[in-house]
């Protein structure tokens, strides 16, 4: 198919956000922190088990990390980098088959979107990667 790299060349590769999320989920929550949260809940929190509160606190920390702007930006950047090999092959193929080497950006974008509409990337992602 002419691809320099396979479609799944990044499969199994963890980025910094994945590693940090895994580390956060494996970090134990101190008993003092859990009891402080349980005491802060008042009378309804007194019946809750410490293990359940610790699990909720871990999940909350992982979710906060996953939704952090820096993590979202890093994942977006990785997504765009993952699109580059396919995008390069598509543009190279378009130039070779049409024997044109200069395109106006809107026309090139339209041609690339038409050629890649079966792939899992959205038109917005493709446009941003092309820019």
């Amino acid at each position: 198919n002419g691809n320099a790299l396979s479609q799944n060349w990044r499969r199994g590769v963890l980025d910094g956000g994945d590693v940090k999320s895994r580390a956060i989920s494996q970090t134990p929550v101190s008993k003092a922190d859990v009891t402080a949260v349980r005491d802060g809940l008042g009378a309804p929190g007194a019946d809750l088990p410490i293990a359940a509160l610790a699990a909720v606190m871990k999940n909350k920390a992982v979710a906060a990390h996953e939704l952090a702007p820096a993590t979202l930006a890093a994942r977006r950047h990785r997504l765009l980098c993952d699109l580059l090999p396919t995008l390069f092959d598509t543009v190279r193929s378009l130039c070779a088959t049409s024997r044109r080497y200069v395109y106006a950006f809107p026309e090139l974008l339209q041609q690339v979107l038409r050629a890649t509409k079966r792939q899992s990337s959205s038109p917005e992602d493709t446009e941003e990667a092309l820019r």
Side-chain angles (χ1 to χ4, degrees):
N1 63 2
N3 285 342
L5 298 170
S6 65
Q7 291 289 340
N8 58 359
W9 69 280
R10 299 250 346 190
R11 184 175 293 159
V13 176
L14 300 177
D15 67 349
D18 294 332
V19 172
K20 188 164 184 177
S21 292
R22 186 172 290 172
I24 289 172
S25 68
Q26 293 175 352
T27 303
V29 179
S30 70
K31 194 169 187 174
D33 290 341
V34 175
T35 54
V37 168
R38 186 169 70 174
D39 293 343
L41 291 174
D47 296 335
L48 295 174
I50 290 178
L53 284 174
V56 168
M57 290 174 67
K58 271 188 196 181
N59 289 341
K60 186 176 178 182
V62 170
H65 170 70
E66 292 288 329
L67 296 176
T71 304
L72 294 175
R75 299 241 164 133
R76 178 83 176 145
H77 184 262
R78 186 177 76 174
L79 172 75
L80 292 177
C81 289
D82 289 346
L83 288 175
L84 287 178
T86 305
L87 189 61
F88 172 79
D89 290 338
T90 303
V91 171
R92 184 183 64 186
S93 175
L94 284 173
C95 290
T97 57
S98 68
R99 299 199 185 268
R100 288 181 58 190
Y101 301 105
V102 178
Y103 281 93
F105 183 77
E107 184 182 357
L108 178 64
L109 179 62
Q110 179 185 9
Q111 294 287 335
V112 168
L113 288 175
R114 188 174 342 141
T116 61
K117 67 181 173 184
R118 293 185 187 157
Q119 295 178 0
S120 62
S121 62
S122 69
E124 294 81 19
D125 292 340
T126 303
E127 180 178 356
E128 190 171 342
L130 193 58
R131 289 188 185 271

